[in-house]
Amino acid sequence: MRAIVSCMQAHVGPKSATKVLFALCLAEDNRRVAVEAGAAAAVVESLMELEVTAAERALAALELMCTVAEGAAEVRAHALAVPVMVEMMGRMEGRGREHAIGVLAVIFCGAGVGEGGEAAGVAPPEEVARAVMLALQGDCSARGKRKGAQLLKALQEAVGYDSGGRMDGCDLSAVGV
């Protein structure tokens, strides 16, 4: 596992590394091992430089790693996680977008939003909500739309909304929240 993480960090064979990482993360027992080896941070830090198919696999592996408590905690604590996921959500289509939304849902739904309306000290929920709404207007799977609606609802509950069902200027009723 450490060799896979090293390949991702050094950008050596990222296509193969993401294939192997995703395949290993399909088995629940390997997810914790991957997180302990630093795979979650390596994925977040290398995502922007990956080609589309490798990025999609890396996002899928990251979302799987977030199903273990240690993985979710590591992603929440990573300073680049939210900006990178928002960027990937805008760049990707279909499943890649769905996985980026899923990781954002782990960040904002699982830990709760802290004082000041921010999760892990990063982007305000209003900005994330706008990005999710834009992503949901594009090519997104039904599962991605459900994850997005769940994320928007959590953001809405954390920040609050006005009497018109708007969260700081975002009309969430357009996506069924």
Side-chain angles (χ1 to χ4, degrees), residues 1 5 21 25 29-40 65:
M1 193 62 76
V5 172
L21 179 63
C25 286
D29 294 340
N30 290 333
R31 295 173 192 170
R32 185 169 280 108
V33 174
V35 171
E36 290 169 357
M65 284 185 268

Side-chain angles (χ1 to χ4, degrees), residues 85-157:
M85 291 307 119
V86 169
E87 177 66 26
M88 294 308 292
M89 195 173 46
R91 274 185 22 191
M92 304 291 293
E93 293 182 358
R95 290 273 175 110
R97 184 173 286 171
E98 172 192 326
H99 296 308
I101 291 170
V103 173
L104 283 170
V106 167
I107 293 169
F108 285 96
C109 299
V113 178
E115 214 170 291
E118 298 184 10
V122 292
E126 297 89 356
E127 292 178 23
V128 175
R130 284 188 194 95
V132 172
M133 287 178 61
L134 285 172
L136 292 177
Q137 292 172 359
D139 178 30
C140 195
S141 67
R143 184 173 38 205
K145 289 182 184 197
R146 283 192 304 273
K147 289 177 184 179
Q150 173 192 9
L151 173 57
L152 288 172
K153 186 174 182 178
L155 292 170
Q156 184 180 31
E157 289 170 357

Side-chain angles (χ1 to χ4, degrees), residues 10-45:
H11 308 293
V12 177
K15 189 173 182 179
S16 298
T18 58
K19 278 183 183 180
V20 172
L21 179 63
F22 176 64
L24 289 172
C25 286
L26 288 172
E28 282 187 51
D29 294 340
N30 290 333
R31 295 173 192 170
R32 185 169 280 108
V33 174
V35 171
E36 290 169 357
V43 167
V44 170
E45 292 163 9

